[in-house]
């Protein structure tokens, strides 16, 4: 995760124990409430280990969301608004 678009600014790493399996209807990892200091602050992200991410506007994977993708240089409508994440 990066605070700014185009992978700029401060960064935060989430790390799992295994590669993602792929089907987006069965998330491999999830974070309901983003780490303190990062809620409503994410501007771009990169994913590794076969993972794709979907970000959500509110806790509990509610509100507006953006579709699963491997990397995003810009979060569009969710720029600085994401509060929960799913990896698949």
């Amino acid at each position: 995760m990066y605070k700014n678009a185009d992978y700029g600014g401060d960064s935060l790493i989430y790390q799992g124990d295994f590669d993602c399996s792929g089907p987006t209807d069965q998330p491999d990892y999830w974070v309901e409430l983003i780490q303190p200091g990062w809620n409503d602050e994410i501007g771009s992200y990169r994913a590794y280990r076969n993972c794709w991410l979907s970000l959500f506007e509110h806790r509990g994977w509610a509100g507006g969301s953006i579709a699963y993708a491997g990397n995003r240089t810009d979060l569009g409508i969710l720029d600085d608004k994401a509060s929960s994440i799913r990896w698949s």
Side-chain angles (χ1 to χ4, degrees):
M1 304 299 147
Y2 297 87
K3 287 213 173 178
N4 300 332
D6 298 315
Y7 316 122
D10 292 339
S11 62
L12 170 67
I13 297 172
Y14 285 100
Q15 189 171 349
D17 294 330
F18 53 86
D19 292 356
C20 291
S21 62
T24 57
D25 62 336
Q26 299 174 5
D28 294 288
Y29 298 101
W30 49 90
V31 174
E32 183 176 5
L33 181 61
I34 294 174
Q35 192 152 330
W38 283 84
N39 188 50
D40 296 338
E41 294 291 329
I42 297 173
S44 59
Y45 68 80
R46 292 179 195 228
Y48 301 92
R49 300 182 72 185
N50 197 43
C51 291
W52 287 37
L53 277 74
S54 182
L55 282 81
F56 297 81
E57 182 179 12
H58 302 302
R59 292 177 48 192
W61 311 284
S65 65
I66 54 175
Y68 280 97
N71 299 315
R72 287 193 184 267
T73 59
D74 184 296
L75 299 185
I77 63 166
L78 279 190
D79 184 43
D80 293 337
K81 294 182 181 176
S83 295
S84 56
I85 310 169
R86 285 186 179 159
W87 287 264
S88 186

